Amino acid sequence: MNETTQSGIKKVRSHLTQNESLLFEISSPGKKAYQLPELDVPAVDPEQALGAGHVRSEIQHFPEVSEVEAIRHFTRLSTYNYAIDLGLYPLGSCTMKYNPRINEVAARTEGLAWAHPYQPDALSQGAMEVVAALEAALIEITGMDAVTLQPAAGAHGEWTGIMLVRALLESRGNARKKILVPDSAHGTNPATAAMCGYTVENVASTSRGLIDLAALEKQATEDVAAMMITNPNTVGVFEENIVKAAEILHARGALVYMDGANMNALVGIARPGDFGVDVMHINLHKTFSTPHGGGGPGAGPVAVQKDLIPFLPTPRLARRDNQWTWNYDLPQTIGKVRAFYGNFGVLVRALAYILAHGGPGLRNATMDAILNANYIRKFLEPHYELPYTSPCMHECVFSDDRQAAKGVKTGDIAKRLIDYGFHPYTVSFPLIVHGALMIEPTETESKRELDLFIDALISIAGEVDSNPELVLKAPHMTRTSRVDEVTAARKPIVRWQPGPA
Ligand SMILES: *Cc1c(COP(=O)(O)O)cnc(C)c1O
């Protein structure tokens, strides 16, 4: 790399930069990655076994490579990715935490990993105990009355929660029409409301990024079923007005839904059940030890106050003759929202994480996450515009206002950050901050890593002043630089086609 693009960069970059061909391109006929012993049973004719027409004699253009070639190919590809194991992953709102490896061991314990949901109750007592213990722990952490572990992810938890709201209001004679959503809400909130058949009405935020209570007073009419509140909200600020907002809504017969995806900012410090929340979801894959972002399974447990318990998804755990069993006799349930009882492996990780930390340990993790975010906020404040100046919770949000004056946008700064060896922060979200840089460090980052990250962003702010072109053309140290993101999203080419050799 040349001097200008390399200067001042302290971060170690561990990426090899070899070019990798497609497996199809290194294929040569007759190569194999496996060897099977000679058959010692009579061979079956596939045509006879499967029926004529179901057997391919040849798969055209299928890659043929050796074992070593296959292993090297996929191992090299795996080095193309940035990962939480390589460095800070500061994506705000998504909470890309380090998840203790030991909980992977817990989830792979033979009796838990191989338990089948159709096993009789008598053979599933241990797995059911895990479910019961996790429900109890989440009840304690949230201060709510009951928890269902069935929903598969955050947005699915939201949908379950709003269906519960609808069921309760229907039982009271009127499901109502509207859901209020602050303009700082996560995008899944209005989508959920619409999926559940409600119209969405926006509530403005104050200049401090909090719910505008005067606006809420006017908007909380008899038509409103609930308000969905993300807390801490998407500008990383705790909704100080939540108790007042809940009082206003409850007085009009409406419920309070809390999006608790970012519960990692509250665990051990504040309990939604104590500040007026009726129903909420938690993302186990953000806060409680399931790796998030690989597209793998997650879990979005929903916690409710007692009025909503009769409507929870079926079945519910119950105690009978000193044993755990499933109770399907729930006349008012909204039904099942997921096959069986939820993503069990994720539940095991969450329980292992909670028990290993204990109350004081969980509280410490929360305090460290908040400290880290505020540390970054303070050091970057002189260099980037901070639209909401209140102390933040687990993430801080800047805007690119000062850099935009030089023609450099949040997306350009994020691309340049890649040259410094960091994954970009969340770009252009939340929408109420123009040109947002949304940064969440999480609790496990050391002071050293945070300092490197801060240095990188300060250095980039300097480059924007002295040499904006450098930032506008970044990244310089990756295999590919700028790609056409719109075409990549709208017209993805997901299948290799044999072309002229
Ligand atoms: C991540 C997130 C969600 C959605 O969770 P998924 O598991 O991705 O469906 C909802 N709300 C907030 C605030 C989030 O951060």
Side-chain angles (χ1 to χ4, degrees), residues 24 27 56-64 495-496 498:
F24 300 98
S27 168
R56 276 188 181 180
S57 57
E58 198 199 336
I59 305 176
Q60 268 205 329
H61 309 297
F62 208 64
E64 293 173 85
R495 188 171 164 234
W496 176 81

Side-chain angles (χ1 to χ4, degrees), residues 93 153-155 158 186 188 230 259 261-262 281 283 285-286:
S93 187
E158 289 176 34
H186 193 266
T188 47
T230 303
D259 181 329
N262 299 321
H281 79 272
N283 280 33
H285 49 291
K286 283 178 186 167

Side-chain angles (χ1 to χ4, degrees), residues 272-286:
D274 299 336
F275 49 66
V277 169
D278 299 294
V279 46
M280 64 177 292
H281 79 272
I282 304 160
N283 280 33
L284 296 187
H285 49 291
K286 283 178 186 167

Side-chain angles (χ1 to χ4, degrees), residues 21-145:
S21 308
L22 295 177
L23 218 42
F24 300 98
E25 292 163 347
I26 57 174
S27 168
S28 84
K31 280 196 178 181
K32 264 188 201 163
Y34 64 90
Q35 267 183 322
L36 297 178
E38 289 291 316
L39 265 190
D40 59 359
V41 291
V44 177
D45 175 14
E47 289 266 351
Q48 227 168 25
L50 298 172
H54 290 132
V55 181
R56 276 188 181 180
S57 57
E58 198 199 336
I59 305 176
Q60 268 205 329
H61 309 297
F62 208 64
E64 293 173 85
V65 294
S66 73
E67 180 182 350
V68 173
E69 284 169 331
I71 288 172
R72 285 190 184 153
H73 175 74
F74 288 108
T75 305
R76 286 190 203 121
L77 282 186
S78 76
T79 69
Y80 277 35
N81 278 344
Y82 190 83
I84 201 92
D85 291 337
L86 289 172
L88 179 71
Y89 213 119
L91 271 183
S93 187
C94 297
T95 307
M96 303 297 291
K97 264 163 82 103
Y98 169 71
N99 302 118
R101 288 291 199 282
I102 187 72
N103 298 333
E104 299 302 311
V105 178
R108 284 165 176 72
T109 306
E110 204 181 327
L112 296 173
W114 291 96
H116 194 281
Y118 280 141
Q119 261 169 227
D121 288 355
L123 298 179
S124 307
Q125 290 297 303
M128 291 160 97
E129 183 75 33
V130 167
V131 171
L134 181 60
E135 283 187 7
L138 294 178
I139 286 169
E140 191 175 330
I141 287 168
T142 57
M144 306 290 281
D145 292 327

Side-chain angles (χ1 to χ4, degrees), residues 187-200:
T188 47
N189 294 183
T192 294
M195 291 269 297
C196 294
Y198 285 107
T199 53
V200 180

